[in-house]
Amino acid sequence: MTIVEEHRTEIRVQDTVYRIEVAAREGGGAAGEDRWVTVMVGGAGPHEEPVAEGRLDIDAEAVPALATVLSDTLMAFAGRGTGRNGRRRSADRPAHQGLPWSDELDAELESRWLAGESVEEIARRFERTPGGIRARLPRVGCDPERRGAYLPIPPSQREVGELG
């Protein structure tokens, strides 16, 4: 088996140190082409007593589903699966909320804004929240306060003699 990617994280929460190591590897299947992910978790309290220990070997294709299940289950077990302090979001949230933007999406956002579409129309089209659209508009040079307009050029970047 060959390790193709590896990540290590160590964090301290009060007096406890947690370690997570994730390694993606290829091989091991009958055809030698399977991709697996190994997750190792450890934690030690202030007197080096173990507070977390374990290893998971997961087929790479199952990682997204298992990550969701583990997160939801652990948050529910901790009593934070629902309510204001929990991480769980409502089921009716936009499908692309929180996902990265591509250059193509940025160009389309700019084009739609300059064509006069409203924040709500654009949010529906991109399956994102209106707040997410308003936050992204300045990044593509558009003024979120004036539909169909670019942001003004700041005085420090104007040409000499240019009217403001």
Side-chain angles (χ1 to χ4, degrees):
M1 282 188 239
T2 304
I3 293 178
V4 293
E5 190 174 350
E6 194 170 24
H7 299 277
R8 296 169 191 233
T9 302
E10 185 173 292
I11 62 168
R12 178 179 297 278
V13 178
Q14 297 172 346
D15 291 335
T16 303
V17 175
Y18 297 95
R19 288 179 323 284
I20 298 177
E21 297 178 24
V22 180
R25 62 189 196 285
E26 291 180 350
E33 298 175 0
D34 296 29
R35 186 163 175 161
W36 285 82
V37 174
T38 298
V39 180
M40 291 183 289
V41 177
H47 304 292
E48 299 298 317
E49 71 276 13
V51 297
E53 183 177 63
R55 174 184 169 138
L56 289 171
D57 291 306
I58 311 162
D59 183 310
E61 291 182 18
V63 168
L66 189 57
T68 299
V69 170
L70 278 172
S71 176
D72 289 352
T73 302
L74 290 171
M75 293 302 283
F77 187 79
R80 295 192 281 173
T82 59
R84 282 184 27 209
N85 295 330
R87 289 178 149 188
R88 181 175 244 160
R89 295 182 181 182
S90 66
D92 60 346
R93 75 180 188 128
H96 295 130
Q97 178 181 346
L99 295 178
W101 287 78
S102 66
D103 291 341
E104 293 79 17
L105 290 173
D106 280 343
E108 185 178 348
L109 172 63
E110 177 184 5
S111 174
R112 288 176 178 276
W113 184 250
L114 294 175
E117 288 187 32
S118 71
V119 167
E120 290 73 21
E121 290 170 325
I122 296 171
R124 278 192 299 278
R125 158 60 187 96
F126 285 103
E127 297 182 64
R128 296 178 184 261
T129 64
I133 298 300
R134 280 189 210 91
R136 191 69 187 181
L137 284 168
R139 292 182 181 216
V140 297
C142 295
D143 187 342
E145 301 300 321
R146 298 183 303 140
R147 190 186 305 185
Y150 282 114
L151 287 168
I153 299 171
S156 63
Q157 295 181 6
R158 293 183 188 148
E159 296 288 327
V160 176
E162 187 177 322
L163 296 177

